[in-house]
Amino acid sequence: MNLRPLHDRVIVKRLENETKTASGIVLPDNAAEKPDQGEVLAVGPGKKNDQGVVSPLNVKVGDRVLFGKYSGQTVKMNGEELLVMKEDDLFAVVEK
């Protein structure tokens, strides 16, 4: 990974949604919604508080996370579409 996020930012790769509904209907690409789950690829060092102490992030590389459909800034790196967002934009970590 050639990107190193700063402060409380994380880099997330979207995970693909299912292309088939529960009843077996196959959805075309243009009808499918943007995925709202992703895998954390990199995390920043953390956010400084008022005293200048860095608070580490609650997520780590490899975590599967939930986020809003329109969260983050999209960047392309080595042909992959990645999201750069603040930790505050993440809703939850999906436990395995």
Side-chain angles (χ1 to χ4, degrees):
M1 166 85 37
N2 295 334
L3 295 175
R4 183 174 48 94
L6 301 174
H7 308 294
D8 63 335
R9 288 185 169 71
V10 296
I11 297 177
V12 176
K13 179 180 178 183
R14 283 188 196 269
L15 297 176
E16 295 301 317
N17 274 352
E18 293 291 324
T19 57
K20 191 186 288 188
T21 64
S23 60
I25 298 171
V26 177
L27 297 172
D29 289 340
N30 58 355
E33 293 184 4
K34 284 184 176 182
D36 56 358
Q37 288 190 33
E39 180 183 356
V40 176
L41 299 180
V43 296
K47 190 175 189 177
K48 285 187 180 181
N49 62 16
D50 294 338
Q51 290 79 30
V53 177
V54 176
S55 301
L57 301 182
N58 293 317
V59 295
K60 61 186 180 304
V61 173
D63 280 350
R64 189 175 189 156
V65 293
L66 296 176
F67 51 87
K69 290 181 187 177
Y70 303 107
S71 297
Q73 178 66 40
T74 304
V75 295
K76 283 207 174 194
M77 192 71 170
N78 298 332
E80 280 189 303
E81 195 171 282
L82 304 173
L83 291 170
V84 179
M85 62 180 74
K86 288 190 169 205
E87 186 186 35
D88 293 343
D89 292 340
L90 300 176
F91 298 148
V93 175
V94 179
E95 298 291 338
K96 296 177 183 172

